[in-house]
Amino acid sequence: MRILVTGGAGFLGSHLCDRLVREGHEVVCVDNLFTGQKANIAHLLAHPNFEFVRHDVIDPFKFEVDQIYNLACPASPPHYQYNPIKTIKTSVMGAINCLGLAKRVRARILQASTSEVYGDPTVHPQPEAYWGNVNPIGRRSCYDEGKRCAETLCFDYHRENKVDIRVVRIFNTYGPRMHPHDGRVVSNFIVQALQGQDLTVYGDGQQTRSFCYVDDLIEGFVRFMAQTETVGPMNLGNPGEFTMLELAELTIKLVGGRSKIVHRPLPSDDPKQRQPDIGLARKVLGWEPRVPLEEGLGRTIAYFRGRV
């Protein structure tokens, strides 16, 4: 197939491009390189089945493709809060442009949504049927509400225009090619530990997250796009739950050195718990994460060594 990947030079996008090229597909990678990095796809540039186009999804585009993966959007708080209006434009206008293209060329489209649509959840773990507890006017709202609106657009295009959609809600994912300064907890801890700094834990460190290794997530993407039983939304993430303190201690153990843990005030609207209910993915895709946190963290630390 000929497949368009928006945000294809980003962390997740570049791993998806790798997988699709490896499977023999023609891949068109579109990215404006705001948070994506050309280094992530440098090894693919000479491949005959790979094409890189520098373009912003806010502006219209036309490609003849069979499938679309819409992954374009800054996904870490420092990046999406840097220009919040641009962030929400990317989510909303980018989705409109991708869905319009999917309608025109009759392509199946996967929209990368996020666990952030659940906000600071009052239901735990979070099933797809949960509508969320989101602040619509906070610092994180440009991302949370942008992604929620993109989901709305997907289902309206599906109902009104019969566009073949797949909506995936991504929970915390980590692995090689994470941006070292993206402000996410895994990269923060690894960079701090490798540089011999103390690890910054916000609040008391008892807030929890679930961490899915990138290869597991990409496997879920591909399986979700291949099946026809459901359009979603579907949670993809690791149901194993860890506190920030546990993650910090494991990072120090794997990196070595003398880093200690220091505490800072909790940011506003920071969720206290985040854990996916992946019952739907297990049932429909036969999917669940396979890479344990310690193993995946070890691979990620190996990638960061020499880069920070």
Side-chain angles (χ1 to χ4, degrees):
M1 287 186 288
R2 185 166 167 81
I3 301 175
L4 172 64
V5 180
T6 69
F11 163 46
L12 297 181
S14 62
H15 283 279
L16 177 61
C17 288
D18 279 346
R19 171 71 180 261
L20 297 174
V21 167
R22 195 162 63 241
E23 291 184 350
H25 302 293
E26 288 184 38
V27 175
V28 180
C29 165
V30 170
D31 204 299
N32 68 352
L33 301 181
F34 171 58
T35 57
Q37 296 178 292
K38 213 166 182 182
N40 289 341
I41 52 167
H43 60 289
L44 291 172
L45 292 174
H47 198 288
N49 281 15
F50 183 80
E51 178 184 354
F52 172 64
V53 179
R54 186 165 184 171
H55 183 81
D56 193 318
V57 294
I58 287 174
D59 302 314
F61 48 87
K62 290 183 179 179
F63 297 100
E64 299 298 321
V65 293
D66 305 297
Q67 288 188 348
I68 301 165
Y69 287 82
N70 182 27
L71 274 57
C73 190
S76 70
H79 288 155
Y80 66 63
Q81 291 173 12
Y82 174 76
N83 188 339
I85 295 169
K86 173 81 170 178
T87 295
I88 202 162
K89 279 184 175 179
T90 301
S91 284
V92 176
M93 295 168 70
I96 289 171
N97 287 331
C98 285
L99 288 159
L101 176 62
K103 176 186 172 186
R104 183 175 70 81
V105 301
R106 298 175 185 267
R108 181 171 294 173
I109 176 170
L110 181 141
Q111 169 64 33
S113 190
T114 170
S115 61
E116 297 292 337
V117 301
Y118 298 123
D120 189 2
T122 56
V123 173
H124 191 75
Q126 293 81 57
E128 290 86 354
Y130 177 52
W131 289 355
N133 178 37
V134 178
N135 176 1
I137 57 170
R139 289 284 181 188
R140 302 169 70 104
S141 306
C142 59
Y143 183 68
D144 303 1
E145 297 289 42
K147 289 291 191 179
R148 285 162 69 96
C149 185
E151 287 196 14
T152 303
L153 285 162
C154 284
F155 279 88
D156 284 338
Y157 267 84
H158 178 63
R159 285 185 288 255
E160 297 296 314
N161 300 305
K162 305 296 184 279
V163 172
D164 190 9
I165 63 168
R166 302 289 182 274
V167 175
V168 58
R169 291 175 177 165
I170 303 166
F171 283 69
N172 287 49
T173 306
Y174 70 100
R177 299 184 201 154
M178 292 185 83
H179 196 292
H181 307 297
D182 68 2
R184 296 190 220 196
V185 65
V186 172
S187 50
N188 274 2
F189 283 174
I190 291 174
V191 169
Q192 287 174 333
L194 287 172
Q195 293 180 341
Q197 301 171 2
D198 292 337
L199 275 60
T200 307
V201 170
Y202 295 97
D204 61 7
Q206 293 306 309
Q207 65 270 42
T208 64
R209 296 291 184 274
S210 55
F211 300 101
C212 184
Y213 189 66
V214 62
D215 291 357
D216 285 332
L217 186 80
I218 299 304
E219 176 66 25
F221 280 5
V222 173
R223 290 192 194 188
F224 190 23
M225 276 293 255
Q227 61 78 46
T228 55
E229 186 177 331
T230 181
V231 299
M234 180 182 285
N235 291 336
L236 287 182
N238 195 323
E241 194 177 10
F242 295 87
T243 68
M244 297 300 95
L245 275 179
E246 287 172 328
L247 180 68
E249 288 162 359
L250 182 57
T251 304
I252 291 170
K253 172 189 160 189
L254 294 175
V255 170
R258 298 184 178 181
S259 298
K260 299 188 296 295
I261 293 170
V262 295
H263 293 263
R264 296 283 183 271
L266 200 63
S268 64
D269 297 329
D270 191 54
K272 298 173 192 67
Q273 288 182 305
R274 193 58 70 66
Q275 182 189 17
D277 178 332
I278 62 167
L280 182 63
R282 283 192 175 114
K283 174 176 172 282
V284 174
L285 310 181
W287 176 90
E288 60 185 322
R290 299 189 178 280
V291 181
L293 180 61
E294 186 160 346
E295 180 184 335
L297 207 54
R299 294 184 200 173
T300 310
I301 289 166
Y303 169 81
F304 273 103
R305 284 192 193 277
R307 286 180 166 85
V308 296

